[in-house]
């Protein structure tokens, strides 16, 4: 089985805390959260370590450019790297920080104006490099990403930068995009030649992530997890050596193997991809304990979809091209933009949504991996209860065959009246959840009687989706963040994470779970 991008460790156990207490870690990257652990019928109060996230405001050449959710460290590097990786800045002139405001002065590429909503990076270059690395150095990059904060929280991505036969910088962030941006910024500010660098990342490598390396001029990416078909094709076309599924003794190379000592110089056979029983296959060279052999992996195809609201273009989004009606309806409900969908029509990759009571939402806000929704001011009500057995049923249903095959697809499910009534897959966990919320909306199911299950982490932006939709219970197999747990508490949502039979951890409103002893209130 392939390791997922959200592969997390179990929450740490410690001293007893009340469900209202929090303490900030001195590093600023984590917080201690009170929680309730269910393990084979035994209930324990624990003190868990969760990642922190904050809203950062980026300014470009004196003008406010973007609000983005990120971990509050390496902000100088983040500012420089964000605009470089996005193909906006040709040269960084200066970066300064005032609290959580990052001011960047830069020479821009021609035509690099304000973004339109949540836009992907644009290609600005082609990578040419004679760099040669060894398998041992690839494993060193992989090892550098196995940092304590990743293991402690299960909610932070990590990236590593290699130069001159050694690791020179490591970053962590709630979002894999941000972690990579920080290291590209470090490289840029330090004046390190990008053609001599290797970039490691714990997250998946779709087209948007590979684009960052292309724009920065970095010739080698070492990924701990999966790649997508468009990501591999971009790497092949633009001169990047793309390495995925890097484990202790093996890895797979999907493009430009000539930069790795001992590998054939030829591109893998069938490099353009083949179809097999509806599955998209991608060839590569696999290194396994010293031997190199051909390999074929099942990969994901993502594309750009365009959302329209009441006749006007709203934003472009990267998604998997299935369940687009549900995606359109769910996006605007989950984002807190509307409470009522009148109609949804799909034409190719264009989604046209008509809605009532449209709210104004800042279109320059990014969450960790998606468009950041408004925070609902409404307390979620729902008299439903759920048993540990039902929680594990939801967990079993989100562990889909597609997830296991590709390592790149997130899954979300809707649980209603004792069964999973709908499931959705997507390259992004935000999209998968939007599709489930869209199904619930289009089929007029009562939100207060539903449970949302998801493979992905639950930061503030993801919990906001459930709050805006009115869903009272979330079951995730991954981690939450401190702000995600706090929002769940404020919004009246029962937040259940690290769901791995026979145990799970509850961060808010445990009274809805049968057998925890909170049925009559905290």
């Amino acid at each position: 089985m392939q390791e997922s991008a959200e592969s997390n460790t179990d929450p740490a156990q410690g001293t007893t805390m009340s469900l209202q207490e929090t303490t900030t870690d001195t590093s600023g990257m984590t917080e201690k959260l009170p929680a309730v652990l269910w393990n084979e019928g035994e209930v324990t109060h624990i003190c868990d370590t969760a990642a922190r996230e904050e809203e950062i405001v980026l300014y470009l050449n004196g003008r406010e450019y973007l609000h983005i959710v990120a971990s509050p460290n390496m902000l100088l590097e983040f500012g420089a790297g964000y605009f470089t990786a996005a193909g906006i800045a040709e040269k960084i002139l200066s970066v300064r920080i005032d609290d959580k405001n990052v001011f960047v002065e830069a020479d821009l590429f021609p035509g690099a104006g304000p973004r339109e909503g949540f836009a992907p990076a644009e290609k600005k270059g082609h990578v040419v490099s004679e760099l040669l690395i060894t398998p041992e150095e690839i494993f060193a990059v992989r090892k550098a990403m196995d940092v304590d904060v990743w293991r402690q929280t299960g909610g932070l991505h990590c990236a590593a930068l290699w130069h001159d036969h050694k690791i020179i910088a490591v970053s962590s962030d709630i979002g894999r995009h941000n972690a990579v941006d920080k290291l590209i910024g470090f490289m840029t500010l330090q004046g390190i030649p990008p053609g001599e660098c290797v970039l490691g990342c714990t997250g998946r490598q779709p087209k948007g992530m590979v684009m960052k390396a292309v724009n920065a001029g970095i010739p080698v990416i070492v990924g701990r997890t999966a790649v997508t078909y468009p990501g591999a094709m971009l790497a092949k076309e633009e001169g990047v050596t793309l390495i995925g599924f890097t484990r202790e003794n093996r890895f797979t190379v999907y493009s430009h193997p000539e930069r790795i000592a001992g590998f054939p110089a030829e591109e893998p056979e069938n490099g353009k991809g083949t179809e097999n029983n509806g599955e998209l296959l991608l060839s590569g060279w696999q290194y396994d304990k010293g031997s190199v052999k051909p390999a074929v992996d099942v990969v994901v195809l993502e594309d750009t979809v365009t959302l329209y609201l009441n006749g006007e273009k709203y934003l472009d989004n990267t998604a998997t091209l299935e369940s687009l009606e549900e995606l359109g309806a769910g996006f605007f409900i989950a984002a807190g933009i509307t409470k009522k969908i009148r109609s949804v029509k799909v034409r190719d990759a264009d989604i046209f949504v008509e809605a009532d009571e449209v709210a104004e939402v800042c279109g320059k806000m990014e969450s960790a991996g998606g468009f950041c929704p408004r925070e609902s001011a409404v307390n979620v009500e729902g008299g439903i209860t759920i048993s540990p057995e039902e929680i594990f049923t939801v967990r079993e249903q989100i562990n889909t065959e597609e997830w296991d095959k590709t390592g790149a697809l997130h899954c979300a499910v809707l649980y209603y009246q004792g069964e999973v009534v709908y499931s959705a897959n997507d390259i992004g966990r935000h999209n998968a959840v939007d599709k489930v919320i869209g199904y619930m909306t289009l089929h007029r199911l009562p939100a207060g009687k539903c449970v949302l299950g998801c493979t992905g982490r639950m930061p503030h932006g993801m919990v906001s989706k459930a709050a805006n939709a009115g869903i009272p219970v979330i079951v995730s197999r991954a981690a939450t963040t401190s702000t995600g747990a706090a929002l769940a508490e404020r919004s009246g949502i029962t937040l259940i994470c690290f769901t791995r039979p026979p145990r799970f951890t509850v961060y808010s409103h445990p009274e809805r779970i049968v057998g925890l002893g909170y049925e009559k209130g905290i």
Side-chain angles (χ1 to χ4, degrees), residues 91-343:
K91 182 180 180 181
I92 300 296
L93 303 176
S94 67
V95 187
R96 66 180 179 89
I97 298 173
D98 182 3
D99 192 24
K100 299 301 183 294
N101 300 307
V102 183
F103 299 88
V104 179
E105 295 291 324
D107 291 335
L108 308 184
F109 283 105
R115 291 160 56 104
E116 187 177 271
F118 182 55
E122 297 181 2
K123 185 172 70 69
K124 294 293 192 302
H126 178 86
V127 179
V128 177
S129 171
E130 296 181 358
L131 180 68
L132 183 67
I133 62 173
T134 66
E136 290 73 24
E137 288 172 317
I138 292 171
F139 293 130
V141 174
R142 165 65 174 83
K143 184 177 180 181
M145 296 185 284
D146 190 19
V147 296
D148 287 342
V149 71
W150 169 273
R151 292 192 299 271
Q152 290 169 358
T153 66
L156 286 170
H157 277 289
C158 181
L161 188 67
W162 177 98
H163 177 253
D164 194 21
H165 306 289
K166 60 182 179 294
I167 300 296
I168 60 172
V170 176
S171 68
S172 296
D173 199 279
I174 184 66
R176 68 185 190 275
H177 288 261
N178 301 342
V180 165
D181 288 347
K182 289 175 179 179
L183 291 191
I184 290 174
F186 176 88
M187 179 190 73
T188 301
L189 295 176
Q190 296 294 322
I192 299 168
E196 300 174 4
C197 291
V198 174
L199 178 64
C201 182
T202 51
R204 293 160 296 150
Q205 294 297 317
K207 183 177 180 180
M209 290 291 287
V210 176
M211 192 80 77
K212 292 176 180 288
V214 172
N215 288 337
I218 297 175
V220 180
I221 299 173
V222 176
R224 192 168 103 160
T225 57
V227 308
T228 69
Y229 179 73
M233 290 303 100
L234 178 66
K236 190 180 300 290
E237 293 163 6
E238 301 304 332
V240 172
T241 300
L242 180 60
I243 304 168
F245 293 113
T246 309
R247 303 292 189 266
E248 184 175 349
N249 294 308
R250 60 185 172 88
F251 56 82
T252 304
V253 183
Y254 298 98
S255 60
H256 294 278
E258 68 273 9
R259 293 196 181 100
I260 305 174
F263 270 64
E266 298 81 14
E267 291 288 330
E269 187 179 355
N270 297 328
K272 292 186 178 181
T274 57
E275 292 275 353
N276 180 41
N277 296 325
E279 296 176 341
L280 187 63
L281 305 180
L282 180 67
S283 296
W285 293 110
Q286 185 181 74
Y287 179 95
D288 190 354
K289 298 178 181 177
S291 65
V292 179
K293 60 184 179 180
V296 178
D297 286 336
V298 180
V299 291
V300 173
L301 179 66
E302 83 267 21
D303 209 336
T304 299
V305 300
T306 303
L307 290 162
Y308 295 82
L309 179 61
N310 294 341
E312 296 186 3
K313 182 178 178 180
Y314 196 84
L315 59 74
D316 293 323
N317 189 18
T318 301
T320 304
L321 298 181
E322 59 182 27
S323 305
L324 294 187
E325 286 189 8
E326 290 81 359
L327 175 62
F331 174 88
F332 290 106
I333 293 289
I337 295 170
T338 185
K339 293 292 184 183
K340 185 177 181 181
I341 300 293
R342 292 201 305 268
S343 67

Side-chain angles (χ1 to χ4, degrees), residues 337-356:
I337 295 170
T338 185
K339 293 292 184 183
K340 185 177 181 181
I341 300 293
R342 292 201 305 268
S343 67
V344 184
K345 296 180 180 178
V346 176
R347 192 178 305 143
D348 296 326
D350 294 329
I351 308 172
F352 300 90
V353 179
E354 297 290 325
D356 291 337

